[in-house]
Amino acid sequence: MRTCIISDLHYKYSKLTAEDKENNALILSFLEQAQGRYDLLILNGDIFDLWYDWKYTIIKQYFPLLVKLYELRQAGCRIVHITGNHDFWFGNFLPDYLGVQLVAEALVFTADEKRIYVCHGDTHTVNDLRYQVFRRVIRLPLMKKIFGLLHPDFALGLGNMMSRSSRTRKDSSALRDRKNEGLRSYAKKLIKSGRADYVVMGHSHHPELIQFDTGAYANSGDWISHHSYVEIISGQIQIKHYDI
Ligand SMILES: [Mn+2]
């Protein structure tokens, strides 16, 4: 079994800088060369910088990315999307039009005798109460409904402003370490208790692979500065970096 796990692409749809354009192009190039390489592609959250499925409308700026996912799917690769903290308001577009399976919390599966646990990771950070409250509120069905009533041009402008401000807010390195520590200790708990051999998360934007006696924790990093991903091929796990 050949599995690829990527996360935190943060594919932009509005006011792209030169760097955003480069990142988007690299993502498309990666997905193109991924054809035929994998049996399973896991999109582990924060793939889209924001997602919303209106009843009749999708975000056209995502079209190149959606085409690449469609082509990969047509080539026979199973694709699963796990909810991130930027992309969680899904409707029927991904499953019905692209054949992408949606998973809300975590995907747990066995391949080549390895028990693999994959989730985005935003619920496993520590000392992040403000975000956990925000997460609860923003996911209320009423919030989704209200957002859907806004005109897409307005709603997406608002979404872009919020996403950019959350990104430019600099976490202190101490806070960042504490967040990473939360993900690591959650992974360690799953591995030590025998519930998983491999735990893969994203969210931290910090690619790493930590080996334990009976398994490993991998973080797939991001596609803003690292262009990193996780491969699990025939039961072997590794982190890779993509360059054209
Ligand atoms: Mn995230």
Side-chain angles (χ1 to χ4, degrees), residues 8 46 85 120 203:
D8 302 273
D46 290 0
N85 52 303
H120 183 63
H203 188 59

Side-chain angles (χ1 to χ4, degrees), residues 124 126 176-186 208:
H124 303 303
V126 286
R176 217 168 41 232
D177 284 351
R178 280 210 305 274
K179 283 187 181 176
N180 289 342
E181 205 40 62
L183 301 186
R184 285 180 201 131
S185 68
Y186 181 70
E208 61 180 350

Side-chain angles (χ1 to χ4, degrees), residues 11-162:
Y11 194 95
K12 307 292 183 304
Y13 63 87
S14 177
K15 301 198 175 93
L16 272 67
T17 63
E19 199 187 348
D20 292 337
K21 285 180 191 162
E22 260 173 52
N23 283 329
N24 284 3
L26 208 57
I27 289 163
L28 298 179
S29 154
F30 173 77
L31 291 173
E32 179 141 352
Q33 62 81 47
Q35 269 196 40
R37 275 181 199 261
Y38 305 112
D39 306 302
L40 170 63
L41 172 69
I42 302 176
L43 305 170
N44 194 18
D46 290 0
I47 300 304
F48 306 97
D49 209 35
L50 176 79
W51 182 274
Y52 197 88
D53 253 67
W54 280 270
K55 190 174 174 187
Y56 299 111
T57 308
I58 57 160
I59 302 166
K60 69 182 175 195
Q61 285 77 5
Y62 290 147
F63 186 68
L65 175 57
L66 298 173
V67 168
K68 286 284 174 270
L69 293 175
Y70 180 77
E71 288 171 352
L72 208 51
R73 187 75 195 90
Q74 289 299 301
C77 182
R78 179 185 169 205
I79 308 179
V80 177
H81 183 286
I82 302 174
T83 299
N85 52 303
H86 283 250
D87 44 4
F88 48 86
W89 274 334
F90 289 101
N92 72 337
F93 184 78
L94 260 64
D96 289 359
Y97 291 79
L98 297 188
V100 171
Q101 186 189 339
L102 295 173
V103 170
E105 298 293 336
L107 182 71
V108 187
F109 64 106
T110 301
D112 301 300
E113 290 164 21
K114 300 289 184 193
R115 187 107 179 120
I116 302 164
Y117 183 102
V118 186
C119 68
H120 183 63
D122 56 311
T123 54
H124 303 303
T125 56
V126 286
N127 298 310
D128 206 7
L129 184 65
R130 198 174 58 167
Y131 167 68
Q132 298 304 338
V133 172
F134 172 77
R135 188 180 188 276
R136 284 274 178 99
V137 173
I138 200 80
R139 285 167 198 242
L140 293 172
L142 180 67
M143 294 299 281
K144 185 176 178 183
K145 198 163 187 133
I146 291 170
F147 196 85
L149 293 173
L150 303 175
H151 187 282
D153 291 356
F154 176 73
L156 293 169
L158 191 70
N160 187 51
M161 249 167 55
M162 283 177 63

